[in-house]
Amino acid sequence: MSDGTTWSKNTRWLRSGGALLAACALNASGQASQVSDGNANVAPACELAPSDRQWIARGLDAWRYASANITKFKPSRSVKGVFFDTNCTVIVDDALGTGVATEVGDTRRHGDTVPLPDGTKVPVAPLSFARASGATLYFAMSTPSVWRRSGVTNPGLGLETMMVAVLIHESSHLAQADTYGRRIERLAVRNRLPESFNDDSLQERFEGNQAFSASVRAETKLLLSAAEARETATARRLIRRAIDMMRSRSRHYFVGRDAYYREAEDVWLTMEGSAQWAAFHWIVDPRGGAFTRQVAIPNFAKRSKWWSQNEGLALFLALERIDGQRLRDSVFGRGDLTIGQLIERGLSTPSKIAKPLPDAGRPASVGAR
């Protein structure tokens, strides 16, 4: 394996030098490289725009709230937060701590690239990622001014709210680096997969197959319908139909040199779906984004062009509809069950309905915040 990580289109997991990196790089590309001194080219007297500082404070508050109340993520060690605009980098040593979020940490000037805690550096671009590198856990994200300058927007939720959801998505993966992340790494080594193997490799492999693509879309639609079904029996019936379609697709296409996708798809859907689930629930939480599900579904749940995110979230919302009791402990804790296994258990065991987290009383016509 090489020591470099190549940044690519949208939110994805990347393998880098034996580590797994959760990354989102929109409308930008570059290459992470080693630097001899994390403080190289750093000078004092650097200030972020007030709106960016306000967003960082909001993002940290949201991250801490989601970790405590949605994912129940308790890191084994402190997590650094790194935020940057075109000129400045803000370092928060204990981003999940209980400090006041408005005190956003040490501000340093950077050059064309941003030095990171593990000695790598990234380009100034609309990107967001979380990484477990040895003893270091950190999260890095560019500020809204960088994203806005590159034309990124979300009219339904507002750019800043969407970016908080992205932050929560990526940081949720910190809870999975030692569980599902290790499993993907073992799978990649066992099958001698290239460094470019990531959560969207399956889509890149099969997207040109019309029958395969149509099945994924139909499965996702059934699962989202199940999540919103009024009757439990209806929800279960729709989920079974979707799962039967997924099994049929797997049996037909995941054979020969593609057989490893049977495991890979399940693990990627678990990782991406659970991270989307965490972000979605912050969006609809009254103390979070405070949007209705009617706004969040089209502007977040269906917005991504990537199968792993759309079908992954649909699976978790469907699971939550019939049996969400094991969800948090499994996917943000022990990492012992995949979404496929959790769905199977939910369908095979008559269980109490796990009601979705309370929806905000926000009208469905609400636009950007």
Side-chain angles (χ1 to χ4, degrees), residues 256-268:
R257 65 174 186 170
D258 292 322
Y260 67 87
Y261 277 120
R262 294 189 180 190
E263 178 184 3
E265 182 181 43
D266 194 18
V267 181
W268 285 133

Side-chain angles (χ1 to χ4, degrees), residues 216-288:
V216 171
R217 290 193 297 270
E219 295 154 18
T220 303
K221 185 176 180 180
L222 285 169
L223 291 164
L224 287 175
S225 295
E228 300 301 313
R230 288 181 176 273
E231 301 295 330
T232 304
T234 301
R236 288 177 174 271
R237 176 174 55 81
L238 293 171
I239 294 171
R240 286 192 180 96
R241 283 180 58 191
I243 296 302
D244 286 345
M245 291 182 69
M246 293 181 71
R247 286 175 175 167
S248 177
R249 175 168 56 80
S250 176
R251 286 194 299 268
H252 185 74
Y253 292 102
F254 299 160
V255 295
R257 65 174 186 170
D258 292 322
Y260 67 87
Y261 277 120
R262 294 189 180 190
E263 178 184 3
E265 182 181 43
D266 194 18
V267 181
W268 285 133
L269 287 173
T270 302
M271 296 174 74
E272 286 300 295
S274 59
Q276 286 290 86
W277 176 89
F280 177 86
H281 272 304
W282 176 83
I283 291 172
V284 300
D285 192 297
R287 295 179 62 184

Side-chain angles (χ1 to χ4, degrees), residues 327-347:
L327 193 157
R328 292 177 181 84
D329 287 343
S330 292
V331 300
F332 298 113
R334 298 185 305 273
D336 55 338
L337 299 173
T338 63
I339 183 58
Q341 293 168 320
L342 288 167
I343 286 280
E344 288 294 341
R345 292 192 179 193
L347 289 174

Side-chain angles (χ1 to χ4, degrees), residues 56-190:
I56 293 173
R58 181 189 181 195
L60 288 174
D61 278 339
W63 184 0
R64 293 163 181 168
Y65 177 79
S67 297
N69 298 283
I70 298 176
T71 64
K72 308 292 185 180
F73 170 44
K74 297 179 180 179
S76 58
R77 51 196 185 276
S78 65
V79 178
K80 288 181 178 290
V82 182
F83 301 91
F84 58 91
D85 67 3
T86 54
N87 298 308
C88 306
T89 302
V90 171
I91 308 293
V92 184
D93 284 330
D94 188 10
L96 284 181
T98 57
V100 180
T102 51
E103 299 298 328
V104 294
D106 182 26
T107 304
R108 307 171 183 175
R109 184 173 296 278
H110 61 72
D112 294 334
T113 56
V114 181
L116 298 173
D118 60 352
T120 61
K121 56 184 179 180
V122 293
V124 177
L127 59 83
S128 172
F129 64 88
R131 190 175 194 181
S133 179
T136 302
L137 286 178
Y138 73 89
F139 176 86
M141 188 167 185
S142 49
T143 59
S145 63
V146 176
W147 291 51
R148 186 172 288 110
R149 188 176 295 110
S150 295
V152 182
T153 186
N154 185 315
L157 300 178
L159 175 63
E160 285 78 5
T161 296
M162 181 199 75
M163 288 181 63
V164 172
V166 171
L167 187 157
I168 291 170
H169 172 115
E170 300 300 343
S171 61
S172 295
H173 288 315
L174 289 172
Q176 301 171 328
D178 292 331
T179 54
Y180 304 113
R182 296 289 186 189
R183 181 168 175 178
I184 282 292
E185 191 61 33
R186 290 193 298 270
L187 181 149
V189 171
R190 188 167 63 248

